[in-house]
Amino acid sequence: VGYTVIVGADGAVFSKIGSAVWSDVSPSGLSAIQLQDVIALNANKYFIIGSSGTVYESYDISDSGSWLNKSPSIISANLFAIAYYEYSTSDKKLIVAGTTGTIAYSDYNPTTSDWTDVSISGEVQTIKCLTVSGGTFVAVGTAGIIYYSANGINWTKAQSGTTADLQSVVSF
């Protein structure tokens, strides 16, 4: 039985393994941050994201002191979505997205946190969710926005046919 991790307001992060009780593993110093999403790359590596461009990584979700700040200095927008894809052992993309079409990617490397801003110019809507399948990323958000990308860098707008806020997406 694996870990379950949840994030929320005031920098809250809780985890549990199997039927164990929930443990507060919140990073220190994030009490003003609204955490929005969490992703597990494997049983030992987790990322959390939230307001003000916050990105943190943990190698030990059972220990609240194991969080490393990986926040992109180039992004101050509120982040709502995160996705990861490994094209090959040498080409791994970590993507974050949020308000006003903000998108940034990192060529994921455990020892660095270099980010590149690939935000969608002129977009005023918020990206609420990202998914990836077969190397294709899909982003959805407010006012019916849908974007897709074959590499996490170049994004193309798709017509959704709605102005309703799109909250979540999954692909497989």
Side-chain angles (χ1 to χ4, degrees):
V1 177
Y3 276 101
T4 302
V5 179
I6 58 175
V7 298
D10 303 324
V13 182
F14 291 87
S15 72
K16 75 177 191 112
I17 186 166
S19 60
V21 291
W22 289 97
S23 298
D24 184 345
V25 294
S26 303
S28 61
L30 293 186
S31 61
I33 299 298
Q34 305 305 307
L35 296 174
Q36 299 292 340
D37 203 1
V38 59
I39 189 172
L41 303 191
N42 57 47
N44 299 314
K45 188 180 307 287
Y46 295 81
F47 284 89
I48 57 174
I49 63 162
S51 56
S52 303
T54 299
V55 179
Y56 273 71
E57 176 182 22
S58 176
Y59 287 94
D60 181 2
I61 200 65
S62 66
D63 177 10
S64 63
S66 71
W67 293 101
L68 302 170
N69 185 347
K70 297 286 188 163
S71 301
S73 61
I74 58 169
I75 299 292
S76 61
N78 294 333
L79 300 175
F80 289 94
I82 185 169
Y84 172 84
Y85 191 74
E86 188 170 320
Y87 291 96
S88 68
T89 55
S90 62
D91 186 8
K92 304 171 187 178
K93 292 278 189 286
L94 188 65
I95 310 284
V96 294
T99 54
T100 61
T102 296
I103 300 176
Y105 76 90
S106 174
D107 287 321
Y108 179 71
N109 177 328
T111 60
T112 66
S113 56
D114 295 333
W115 292 89
T116 302
D117 184 351
V118 292
S119 295
I120 300 164
S121 179
E123 182 58 71
V124 297
Q125 302 303 324
T126 295
I127 296 170
K128 301 293 276 185
C129 189
L130 287 167
T131 191
V132 61
S133 178
T136 298
F137 290 89
V138 178
V140 300
T142 56
I145 64 165
I146 300 174
Y147 286 92
Y148 62 93
S149 173
N151 59 13
I153 299 170
N154 303 306
W155 293 83
T156 302
K157 191 169 191 171
Q159 296 302 316
S160 68
T162 185
T163 58
D165 290 350
L166 303 176
Q167 302 292 339
S168 189
V169 60
V170 64
S171 59
F172 48 93

